[in-house]
Amino acid sequence: MKSDSKLLSAPYTVWMTVFIVVPMLLVGYFAFTDKAGRFTMENILSVGQYSNVFLRSIWLGALATAISLGLGYPFAMIIARMGARRQNVMVMLVMLPMWMNFLLRTYAWMTLLEDNGLINNALAAVGLPRVHMINTAGAVVLGMVYNYIPYMILPLYSVLTKIDRSVIEAAQDLGANSVQVFLKVVVPLSMPGVISGVTMVFVPAVSTFIISKMLGGGGNLLIGDLIDMQFLGSAYNPNLGSAVSLVLMVIILICMGIMNQFDDGEANEAVQLGNVNH
């Protein structure tokens, strides 16, 4: 039986080795070597000069994640309270934009936000002044929220639909009002979905490059843009690009570790709360 399980896991082991372990080893090799292949720490030390790019990326990624959570949580709650058939329809509508190519979705926002785009033309048609929206940090955050909010809604919806109604009814029977039920029962029980959603939105948002390139112009350089420039741009320096990628991976791993700590604590609290109410 044990040998059978090892045999079944062999394809995944090969896949993980070829497409995860080997690329990470290559990134580590290039990060700690120069163009001649000699060991050096210069690439890692050079990453410090791009600290403003890292801070901007983390700030915009965190802002997009917070907005996605603020919009996605109530929307997921609304879906979770619907009937089964309507839930399926709403989930399909949430996923529908994801069926379209990522670049096309982002390019569509360019046509909406341009100075002569649809939004500004509509404002001018009703006598309102045009607003400069394209090539701004706000446009980048908007693109992040639009593209990644489904990854916030779906895990929240999955967790909220599994909350036992008897737990909520027990809290109401004990005298808790709607606000107290939400804060003391629903939020703790939904924290695994919150943590999953935050992780799934923050990680791609902080490392994105095509959104910032298309909607932010050249004035909103993010980590992804910096890495892209080192590998594919005129600056071509794969050693520095690998060092930046390595530092980014470390930052993401630290953030995920912190999130997992909150997840474990909230999950244990939710289990204890459920046991007490039952």
Side-chain angles (χ1 to χ4, degrees):
M1 185 69 179
K2 192 172 182 180
S3 60
D4 291 340
S5 62
K6 287 184 177 180
L7 185 62
L8 291 173
S9 65
Y12 174 73
T13 303
V14 173
W15 175 278
M16 184 175 64
T17 302
V18 174
F19 294 104
I20 299 179
V21 177
V22 172
M24 290 185 66
L25 290 176
L26 288 174
V27 168
Y29 170 77
F30 281 107
F32 290 102
T33 57
D34 57 17
K35 294 181 178 179
R38 295 185 297 266
F39 175 81
T40 180
M41 291 293 295
E42 183 179 352
N43 298 317
I44 299 296
L45 297 176
S46 298
V47 175
Q49 63 183 308
Y50 300 106
S51 58
N52 60 326
V53 178
F54 277 85
L55 291 175
R56 185 186 303 117
S57 300
I58 294 172
W59 162 243
L60 294 182
L63 182 59
T65 303
I67 295 173
S68 297
L69 178 60
L71 296 175
Y73 198 105
F75 191 72
M77 285 191 65
I78 293 172
I79 298 176
R81 293 178 179 178
M82 293 179 175
R85 182 175 298 179
R86 295 182 66 187
Q87 284 185 20
N88 294 333
V89 173
M90 293 303 295
V91 170
M92 185 191 69
L93 291 176
V94 170
M95 297 179 63
L96 191 60
M98 299 170 65
W99 298 356
M100 189 185 303
N101 183 272
F102 184 90
L103 292 176
L104 290 178
R105 298 201 307 266
T106 308
Y107 187 77
W109 275 107
M110 290 180 62
T111 63
L112 290 172
L113 300 178
E114 286 176 346
D115 293 338
N116 291 317
L118 296 178
I119 295 177
N120 273 314
N121 287 339
L123 292 175
V126 296
L128 296 175
R130 295 177 181 270
V131 179
H132 178 68
M133 295 175 285
I134 196 69
N135 298 336
T136 63
V140 175
V141 173
L142 176 62
M144 291 178 179
V145 172
Y146 172 76
N147 282 291
Y148 300 132
I149 195 170
Y151 301 115
M152 180 69 73
I153 295 174
L154 294 178
L156 284 171
Y157 159 75
S158 178
V159 171
L160 289 170
T161 53
K162 295 175 182 177
I163 295 179
D164 193 343
R165 290 292 303 174
S166 63
V167 177
I168 297 176
E169 292 170 358
Q172 293 171 338
D173 292 341
L174 292 172
N177 57 36
S178 299
V179 176
Q180 291 172 327
V181 169
F182 176 73
L183 295 178
K184 300 295 184 180
V185 179
V186 177
V187 170
L189 290 175
S190 65
M191 281 307 295
V194 172
I195 300 302
S196 297
V198 167
T199 303
M200 292 175 67
V201 172
F202 179 75
V203 170
V206 77
S207 58
T208 186
F209 70 95
I210 195 63
I211 294 176
S212 54
K213 182 179 294 186
M214 296 178 70
L215 299 181
N220 293 277
L221 186 71
L222 301 184
I223 301 176
D225 300 306
L226 180 60
I227 296 172
D228 178 60
M229 288 169 55
Q230 303 305 318
F231 282 99
L232 301 176
S234 56
Y236 187 70
N237 187 346
N239 301 93
L240 178 58
S242 296
V244 175
S245 301
L246 190 62
V247 173
L248 176 60
M249 282 192 289
V250 171
I251 292 175
I252 290 176
L253 287 174
I254 292 173
C255 293
M256 291 180 66
I258 295 173
M259 290 296 177
N260 288 334
Q261 292 298 318
F262 280 107
D263 191 10
D264 293 340
E266 292 293 345
N268 292 333
E269 180 183 345
V271 171
Q272 295 173 1
L273 179 62
N275 292 335
V276 169
N277 286 330
H278 279 297

